[in-house]
């Protein structure tokens, strides 16, 4: 494994390239070209490695395209999901990039060819459109063809200069990590527009551990609002690949982010047949009806977004929403995502969902949905997290843990919002490994912890009108300084006596001065 220092140096180098090459172009607008070039290099090198099959006498990049038979191409597409001819490899295109007056056109043709190679094969949906956001004709690259090509060549050669190590395993590890580093940095610098699709790794790690706690294996893992795929990938990091038997599933409504998620899967060594990321509106057009149920669900859905709700009368009959007897408010779709996740959860599974705190105490329809969840014993734990953990928002969110196999009717509440549960950094607070481990341990033990955790029986929740706010059940530590009344009274008496003594002294001085004053006519 590459050392932390080497990794930090690599990240510094790649961020330096990203900023130097973009020039006057906004970093957020330019991200697709850097991310796309990194992905292009990754799939080129791993495809070449696959074609060489460990034979030291074969260098795929040096073979003529015409030497590749149709049978070899077909076999490669069936295995890897796509095909790249030697002349289309990143290393060959980059070598001539600064001398190629048709670079932008050639790149577009190569990307189209890579995507087109999967047409008619099982991998077609996973490969199609991967390079759609790498627009080599975009004016964001420059106003002239020469300027576009100059900047594209600089991006390619910059990415080519990065050292990702010698072995395939190191490359997968470093490529994927560098890709997430870039995404997180762009998100951090873009504010809300970036942070809305990226869950910081430390939060993702906590969510993944909560969702998969106590499970030796899961059939598959699902994120109904997967963004760039960071939550799904944390699940992969936390557990050996064989424990997630059927792979990774997700849906994303934003086309650009959908492409990022699919690229992210490849960059972390997940082959096309082990992930299924779909494009579309999860609430109105769910794409994984035939893949459910899922043993593990992780999600950070958008907070309090508007949705059609009861403006579409057919939704109340939807299997996801009908059991609650009411649809979430049109102005706040939070519970729509939660009910969707619950419907997709297996009887032995667990879901961990980042949630806006307001949904746990507001009235109206949201209260009725809470009643449904509590009455049916689906709520296992609610965890209050520290503020300022996410890019673009400083709010202190909650994590809702759902389960269909609880051993009792109690709901656990954990207040992990105090300073003992996070580390302050320049722009954001972070959860360290120690913080994450402590929260997971409290979650697992289900034991009371003074001012931090408690488990509340069903009857008390009902009596409290189904309020599920953490602060309603976890008593905060009294920070008020304890005052010794007797001591205080003694100090006051001493102070009063001293004041009286000073007044007497002043009166004596004034009287003495008054007697010596001569009155002149």
């Amino acid at each position: 494994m590459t050392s932390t220092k080497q990794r930090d140096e690599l990240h510094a180098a790649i961020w330096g390239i990203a900023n130097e090459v973009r020039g006057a172009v906004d970093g957020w607008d330019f991200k697709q070209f850097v991310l796309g070039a990194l992905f292009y290099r990754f799939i080129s090198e791993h495809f070449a490695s696959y074609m060489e099959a460990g034979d030291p006498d074969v260098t795929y990049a040096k073979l003529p395209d015409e030497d590749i038979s149709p049978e070899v191409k077909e076999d490669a597409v069936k295995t890897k999901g796509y095909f790249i001819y030697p002349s289309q490899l990143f290393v060959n295109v980059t070598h001539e990039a600064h001398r190629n007056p048709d670079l932008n056109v050639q790149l577009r043709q190569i990307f189209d060819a890579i995507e087109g190679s999967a047409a008619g094969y099982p991998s077609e949906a996973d490969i199609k459109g991967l390079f759609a956001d790498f627009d080599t004709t975009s004016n964001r690259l420059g106003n002239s063809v020469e300027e576009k090509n100059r900047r594209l060549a600089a991006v390619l050669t910059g990415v080519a200069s990065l050292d990702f190590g010698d072995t395939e395993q190191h490359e997968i590890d470093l490529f994927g990590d560098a890709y997430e580093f870039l995404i997180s940095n762009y998100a951090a610098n873009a504010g809300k527009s970036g942070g809305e699709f990226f869950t910081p790794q430390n939060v993702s790690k906590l969510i993944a551990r909560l969702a998969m706690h106590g499970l030796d294996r899961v059939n598959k893992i699902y994120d109904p609002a997967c963004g760039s795929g960071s939550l799904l990938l944390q699940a992969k990091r936390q557990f050996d690949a064989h424990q997630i038997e059927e792979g990774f599933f997700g849906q994303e409504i934003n086309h650009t982010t959908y492409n990022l998620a699919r690229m992210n899967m490849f960059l972390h060594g997940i082959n096309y047949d082990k992930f299924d990321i779909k494009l579309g509106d999860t609430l109105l057009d769910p794409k994984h009806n035939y893949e459910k149920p899922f043993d593990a669900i992780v999600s950070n859905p958008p907070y309090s977004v508007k949705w059609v709700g009861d403006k579409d009368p057919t939704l109340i009959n939807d299997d996801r929403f009908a059991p609650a007897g009411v649809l979430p408010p049109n102005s706040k779709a939070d519970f729509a995502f939660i009910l969707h996740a619950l419907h997709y959860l297996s009887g032995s599974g667990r879901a961990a969902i980042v949630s806006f705190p307001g949904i746990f105490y507001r009235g109206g329809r949201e209260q009725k949905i809470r009643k449904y969840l509590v009455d049916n014993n689906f709520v296992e734990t609610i965890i209050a997290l520290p503020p300022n953990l996410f890019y673009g928002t400083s709010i202190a969110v909650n994590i809702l843990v759902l389960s269909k196999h609880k051993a009792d009717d109690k709901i656990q509440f954990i207040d992990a919002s105090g300073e003992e549960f996070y580390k302050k950094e320049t722009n954001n607070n972070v959860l360290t490994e120690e913080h994450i481990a402590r929260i997971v341990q409290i979650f697992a033990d289900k034991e009371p912890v003074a001012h931090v955790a408690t488990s509340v029986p069903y009857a008390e929740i009902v009596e409290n009108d189904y309020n599920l706010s953490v602060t309603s059940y976890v008593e905060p530590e009294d920070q008020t300084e304890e005052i010794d009344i007797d001591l205080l009274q003694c100090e006051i008496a001493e102070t009063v006596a001293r004041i009286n003594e000073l007044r007497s002294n002043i009166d004596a001085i004034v009287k003495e001065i008054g007697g010596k004053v001569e009155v002149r006519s």
Side-chain angles (χ1 to χ4, degrees), residues 318-338:
D318 189 300
D319 290 344
R320 298 168 295 168
F321 311 126
V326 63
L327 292 171
N330 299 27
S331 60
K332 300 175 181 67
D334 306 72
F335 268 122
F337 285 102
I338 290 169

Side-chain angles (χ1 to χ4, degrees), residues 506-520:
I506 291 170
D507 289 344
I509 292 170
V510 171
K511 185 176 181 180
E512 182 180 350
I513 292 174
K516 293 180 179 180
V517 174
E518 295 182 3
V519 179
R520 297 182 180 181

